[in-house]
Amino acid sequence: MRLGLALGYWGRGPNPAHLELARAAEEFGYHSVWTAEAWGSDAFTTLTWIAAHTSRIGLGTAVVQMAARTPTATAMHALTLDHLSGGRMMLGLGLSGPQVVEGWYGRPFPSSPLTATREYVDVIRQVLRREAPVELDGRFHAHPYGGADGTGLGKPLKAITHPLRPDIPVLLGAEGPKNIAQTTRIADGWLPLYWSPTRTDAYAAALTGLRDGFLVAPMVRAHVCDDVAEGLLPVKAMLGFYIGGMGHAARNFHADLMARMGYEDEARHIQDLFLAGRRNEAVLAVPDAFADDISLVGPRQRIAERLEQWRKGPVTDLLVTSPDLATLRTLADLNA
């Protein structure tokens, strides 16, 4: 099981510690570093900055949002950064949800998310293979565009730039069972949002028959500390925001996932509190057991024992979220 560093996206402004963390992760032997985006900073610019200040560590997006760019634009970003970094790029994609797609990007959330994702990946693969001009008779991503409001002048095009690698790994952030099952068929890897080595039954049916080389790369919050309850507070704050606020009350993929993992009543209660403006109460309502399930928090020996559980499953890459250099080094030592 390899280690990656997950930096996420910026908050109010750039995090001055991110470059130091990325350089340290490379020094500690981490395989990869990952950036993300929501509705503020973008993933590719930050990753390019990190690429310019490192030399070996893999560079991944976990995730870039499909609604933010056409698939050809995303492929252009990926092939450009792959060239500039000497072949270190890994492309993680996510569909996001209706609240972000329609509220931030001003686009309709696709009526068939699985079809939209499949077409998006198909176009990216065509660009990177560069075997022929891009053509797809797609429902959501037709190339050339043939809508009634078009000019009819579009023609199939092939990338001017030859990609450094035609097989840049494409990973998908999928949460629903059907989406995960499709991911195992069309992508090179899966980026789970929440993963518990003791609750893998939530994913078991969708993960049957994984092919050799398929990546399973969940994110995990890690913190070496004496007080487990205190160490779980940042995990609970993240969960309270995602489960309570990252989606509509009637359609929140994160809350649905928590429910499938055995915490349905708790997930709905967190939603109710958050949407009522009682955000602190929503965070405190996150069960310690669930936060602990999906994180690595506590004294060194406790983390070492729990890390063994993560190794026993299908996880190939553990993407660690931690602002603490000592924690990153400890995990590298324990995973050596």
Side-chain angles (χ1 to χ4, degrees):
M1 185 177 70
R2 304 180 299 194
L3 295 180
L5 171 66
L7 295 174
Y9 46 80
W10 296 351
R12 187 171 183 174
N15 188 325
H18 276 183
L19 185 56
E20 179 187 8
L21 290 170
R23 284 171 157 172
E26 182 172 71
E27 178 187 341
F28 298 159
Y30 279 57
H31 172 262
S32 53
V33 57
W34 302 73
T35 57
E37 61 191 19
W39 50 88
S41 61
D42 81 280
F44 283 114
T45 306
T46 304
L47 200 60
T48 303
W49 181 253
I50 292 170
H53 292 83
T54 56
S55 59
R56 302 181 309 277
I57 197 165
L59 307 162
T61 57
V63 294
V64 291
Q65 297 169 327
M66 297 183 210
R69 305 163 189 86
T70 64
T72 46
T74 297
M76 288 166 65
H77 276 294
L79 73 85
T80 301
L81 183 48
D82 201 47
H83 268 291
L84 293 175
S85 66
R88 292 189 275 156
M89 179 69 201
M90 293 173 285
L91 180 60
L93 305 169
L95 194 61
S96 194
Q99 187 180 52
V100 175
V101 172
E102 298 184 2
W104 181 247
Y105 294 113
R107 302 183 59 187
F109 188 77
S111 54
S112 178
L114 293 178
T115 302
T117 299
R118 190 166 57 251
E119 292 179 3
Y120 201 100
V121 172
D122 186 344
V123 172
I124 287 174
R125 300 280 201 204
Q126 289 190 53
V127 173
L128 296 178
R129 286 194 300 262
R130 203 179 174 276
E131 295 171 347
V134 176
E135 290 191 82
L136 180 67
D137 184 16
R139 177 178 171 188
F140 298 98
H141 300 291
H143 284 71
Y145 181 74
D149 57 344
T151 64
L153 300 178
K155 69 175 185 177
L157 297 171
K158 185 163 62 173
I160 297 171
T161 304
H162 291 233
L164 181 65
R165 295 181 297 160
D167 55 353
I168 293 173
V170 176
L171 299 88
L172 294 175
E175 293 180 51
K178 292 181 180 179
N179 201 356
I180 297 169
Q182 174 173 270
T183 296
T184 65
R185 296 192 302 270
I186 69 171
D188 302 300
W190 174 43
L191 295 160
L193 181 61
Y194 310 138
W195 177 272
S196 166
T198 62
R199 294 179 179 269
T200 54
D201 54 320
Y203 303 114
L207 292 179
T208 55
L210 291 181
R211 65 184 182 276
D212 290 344
F214 187 83
L215 305 178
V216 178
M219 282 179 274
V220 59
R221 175 81 182 196
H223 187 199
V224 178
C225 60
D226 294 328
D227 189 330
V228 174
E230 183 178 345
L232 288 175
L233 286 176
V235 185
K236 294 176 68 167
M238 176 273 293
L239 288 169
F241 175 64
Y242 272 73
I243 293 161
M246 282 285 249
H248 189 270
R251 196 169 188 182
N252 183 314
F253 302 136
H254 311 302
D256 293 344
L257 174 57
M258 183 179 175
R260 288 195 299 275
M261 294 179 75
Y263 294 92
E264 183 171 5
D265 292 342
E266 293 88 343
R268 304 312 170 199
H269 182 50
I270 293 165
Q271 274 191 296
D272 291 342
L273 290 171
F274 195 95
L275 295 173
R278 298 157 63 182
R279 298 190 175 191
N280 290 337
E281 292 179 61
V283 169
L284 295 176
V286 175
D288 282 5
F290 181 56
D292 200 27
D293 275 347
I294 65 171
S295 60
L296 288 167
V297 172
R300 178 189 173 103
Q301 185 56 38
R302 184 177 193 265
I303 290 178
E305 293 168 358
R306 293 169 65 83
L307 199 59
E308 285 301 317
Q309 295 179 316
W310 291 76
R311 287 199 190 96
K312 291 176 182 177
V315 173
T316 60
D317 296 77
L318 194 61
L319 310 187
V320 179
T321 298
S322 177
D324 178 32
L325 287 175
T327 293
L328 295 180
R329 183 185 289 276
T330 296
L331 283 171
D333 293 341
L334 292 174
N335 198 55

